[in-house]
Amino acid sequence: MSISTRRARERANTHERIIEAALHVLETEGPAALTIRRIAGDVEYSAPVVYQHFANKEALVLELVAHGHRLMLTRFLEAAQEADVDLRMRRAASEYVRFAGEHPHLYQVMNAPAIDADERGRVAQPAVDALKELLNTWSARHDVVLADLDEACETLWGTMHGIASLGYLSNVGNDRARRLAEQALHAILLGWRAEASANDQGRREKMQG
Amino acid sequence: MSISTRRARERANTHERIIEAALHVLETEGPAALTIRRIAGDVEYSAPVVYQHFANKEALVLELVAHGHRLMLTRFLEAAQEADVDLRMRRAASEYVRFAGEHPHLYQVMNAPAIDADERGRVAQPAVDALKELLNTWSARHDVVLADLDEACETLWGTMHGIASLGYLSNVGNDRARRLAEQALHAILLGWRAEASANDQGRREKMQG
DNA sequence: TTTCGCTTTCTAACGACGTTAGATTTCCTA
DNA sequence: TAGGAAATCTAACGTCGTTAGAAAGCGAAA
């Protein structure tokens, strides 16, 4: 038994090393440098060895995407330590954009259209759930009844992604993008609260009239 | 003179046909199918001919990006026909997302990280200016003094791009994305107005106290 | 200890890509 | 109608992802 377990351990180790090497190349040299031969060279193997661990390049890249989302979730959960709900949302937005700025290439691959939408959805689910919960407690805290929590979630997610994108699509730097994200979040939440209180007022007037 | 002008005309014609062929391939079959050989074949030439009209593939793609932005600007200006400022903004947002949904591959290339940020900024400038003007009249209409018009513009742009991205990044369809965009825009504008009126009230109280 | 067989790993290759050099053809001019 | 410039093509280079088949390594049975 000992020998096959050792083999399995070595196999798993190589698997891990390939992912690490790929991640390193991606982060330091960008997606164009991320070739199978390069990765194989970095782990001191020939190219075909990579295919014993991953069906194809896409599968390997998907692992990097998953890794990226786990990393992002960690950040998110750190921000969730914050006691105050409003500050928590603000920090979450800020950290999201900061992540995009600190790992630009990884972030770009995480959100590349080439990645299958279902797969991306799968690996991003935990982060989406965390956002959903956060948004839920926020709405409870401010007595704001959101018409559709999922839609509100998507709106926030999309907004943050769009503004984070500005960091590399335009020449808006990351610091500025972070400020923009906080402002946008602030405006949206304020808007939702304004709408909610307007609805309340409308309902009250109807009751009285 | 007649002969060299004819040559120039033919040259320009070929140039145009290459762009059209490239655009057609991109829109109907996606970026993966957009190869030099394929484009050349579609205009019934051999591959190297393309290089007499474009320095390299990137330059050709940049023309497609520019074309896309012109198309988008057209939509934007159509939406700007709307008399009411608020409806105009709403329609602009809606049309932006609709464009992304109707030309998904073109939109993706327009916002691909591989495109140089400066070049993108150059071709997108007219649209940004139009948005800036629209936002300006909106803020005048509602007596909202935006702290920084450029930042507000970037925020809106980023937000719309992010939500439009949901159309292909996640499984949010284009119809839903368009609704989300309208809602997000509505919330942000409401938030800005709420903030502005809060500032006004604060100032008034200070004057009185 | 030596040979067998399985696993691991490598070399070589395929087809497609962007791109370039050099041969070939086309077409105007003298 | 011959010469030369312009236009165009064929062939190739180096790179990519990927696969087939040879070579090597290594634990177990004779």
Side-chain angles (χ1 to χ4, degrees), chain A residues 20 37 66 81 83 100 102 127 142-143 149 157 163-164 184 193 200:
Chain A
E20 277 167 25
R37 285 178 177 83
Q81 302 284 25
E102 285 176 359
H142 290 289
D143 285 322
L149 185 63
W157 188 280
I163 292 178
R193 292 179 63 177
D200 278 2

Side-chain angles (χ1 to χ4, degrees), chain A residues 118 151 158 162 169 171 176 179, chain B residues 118 151 158 162 171 176 179:
Chain A
D118 291 332
E151 282 199 357
L169 290 184
N171 282 324
R176 188 165 197 209
R179 205 173 56 241
Chain B
D118 292 333
E151 282 199 355
N171 283 325
R176 188 164 198 210
R179 204 172 59 239

Side-chain angles (χ1 to χ4, degrees), chain A residues 32-101:
Chain A
L34 193 69
T35 72
I36 299 289
R37 285 178 177 83
R38 169 63 192 277
I39 297 164
D42 282 9
V43 293
E44 295 176 305
Y45 275 114
S46 67
V49 168
V50 174
Y51 291 89
Q52 291 183 337
H53 295 272
F54 304 93
N56 46 38
K57 190 182 182 182
E58 193 188 339
L60 170 54
V61 169
L62 196 63
E63 297 257 343
L64 302 186
V65 172
H67 175 87
H69 274 100
R70 281 194 297 272
L71 223 71
M72 224 177 58
L73 181 60
T74 307
R75 289 284 189 91
F76 199 91
L77 295 180
E78 280 173 19
Q81 302 284 25
E82 185 65 55
D84 184 63
V85 194
D86 296 83
L87 250 72
R88 221 184 306 169
M89 290 225 71
R90 184 165 151 189
R91 273 201 57 196
S94 182
E95 289 302 309
Y96 181 90
V97 178
R98 188 196 301 273
F99 174 86

Side-chain angles (χ1 to χ4, degrees), chain A residues 135-144:
Chain A
L135 186 53
N136 211 15
T137 69
W138 176 88
S139 81
R141 166 72 181 76
H142 290 289
D143 285 322
V144 171

Side-chain angles (χ1 to χ4, degrees), chain A residues 169, chain B residues 15 18-20 22-23 26 34 36 39 50 53-71 105-125:
Chain A
L169 290 184
Chain B
H15 186 96
I18 290 174
I19 294 179
E20 277 167 26
L23 190 61
L26 175 61
L34 193 71
I36 299 290
I39 297 165
V50 174
H53 296 271
F54 305 93
N56 46 39
K57 190 182 180 181
E58 192 188 338
L60 169 53
V61 169
L62 197 63
E63 298 259 343
L64 302 186
V65 172
H67 174 87
H69 274 100
R70 281 193 298 272
L71 224 71
H105 297 133
L106 178 57
Y107 183 81
Q108 283 165 32
V109 169
M110 286 164 65
N111 297 104
I115 304 290
D116 183 70
D118 292 333
E119 294 283 11
R120 196 199 337 270
R122 217 171 41 77
V123 297
Q125 196 57 54

